[in-house]
Amino acid sequence: MKTNIEKEYKLLVTKEQFEQLVSLYEPIFFHKQVNTYYDTTDHRIADLHGAMRIREIDEHFIFTLKLWKKQQLYEYECEVKNNSIEALQNEQIVMLLKEHGIYGEMTVLTSLTTYRGEVISNDAILCFDHSLYNGIEDFEIEYEYRREHDGRRAFQTILAPLHIQYEKNCISKIQRALQSLSQ
């Protein structure tokens, strides 16, 4: 099981802003990823302000559990055989969930499809995400740390050609997808 502390900046932008930013980095290859989000039927993971998903990319399946600990977002990841509730019975996953007090029957919450393009540097991965969920389409730019540095300044420099100021303006993809179900 791989463990990581997630540190990122993200910003929802318009389709036009998205396309303009992408054009500054072309050529970018966009790959499709399908995220299926799970929780216990009594929403134990949500109660912990966490999220659990299986992401499918090119017939590879990656389990991720995100949980807040000590004001940091921890990500736990491993490969699984498929995207299903049964895949969550993987021994490593069962042990991880128990370790965090997560028990009970699992259920699918929602799914979300993202077309992601990436630009990788020594400091970060710049992600261009075009997401579709429950009849909604959005465009997000993420700046994911690879090592410690002044990421906010770096992200602002990336946004500067479009005269966009970074200001936190979006919740996580799972939260957006779940909110869209009640609209």
Side-chain angles (χ1 to χ4, degrees), residues 46-115:
D47 290 346
L48 294 169
H49 306 288
M52 184 170 67
R53 71 169 180 239
I54 295 178
R55 174 176 283 169
E56 178 182 356
I57 304 173
D58 300 327
E59 298 182 28
H60 293 281
F61 303 91
I62 302 163
F63 160 85
T64 305
L65 176 67
K66 296 184 180 192
L67 291 173
W68 286 95
K69 291 190 332 190
K70 302 176 186 169
Q71 298 183 331
Q72 294 183 312
L73 185 58
Y74 281 76
E75 287 183 323
Y76 304 91
E77 292 186 334
C78 69
E79 281 204 38
V80 292
K81 293 181 181 180
N82 57 43
N83 186 357
S84 68
I85 288 175
E86 291 75 31
L88 301 174
Q89 297 306 309
N90 169 304
E91 186 178 332
Q92 289 182 8
I93 295 170
V94 170
M95 290 184 62
L96 175 67
L97 295 175
K98 281 183 182 178
E99 181 181 313
H100 293 283
I102 301 167
Y103 302 93
E105 184 180 343
M106 294 292 169
T107 188
V108 173
L109 298 175
T110 191
S111 68
L112 177 143
T113 298
T114 297
Y115 295 90

Side-chain angles (χ1 to χ4, degrees), residues 135-178:
I136 294 176
E137 174 179 45
D138 71 31
F139 300 88
E140 179 182 54
I141 310 299
E142 289 186 4
Y143 185 87
E144 298 180 358
Y145 279 64
R146 293 183 71 196
R147 67 177 187 175
E148 199 55 46
H149 66 288
D150 187 351
R152 186 180 177 107
R153 178 179 294 178
F155 191 41
Q156 190 58 57
T157 299
I158 290 164
L159 299 172
L162 294 176
H163 309 288
I164 300 171
Q165 277 292 327
Y166 170 73
E167 188 175 312
K168 185 176 180 179
N169 75 344
C170 63
I171 55 178
S172 68
K173 285 181 181 72
I174 184 176
Q175 290 171 317
R176 295 195 309 265
L178 289 173

Side-chain angles (χ1 to χ4, degrees), residues 2-18:
K2 186 175 114 181
T3 303
N4 178 48
I5 296 173
E6 181 180 271
K7 188 170 182 183
E8 67 184 10
Y9 293 102
K10 57 178 141 190
L11 185 68
L12 283 175
V13 295
T14 66
K15 181 178 182 179
E16 294 74 25
Q17 291 169 323
F18 183 86

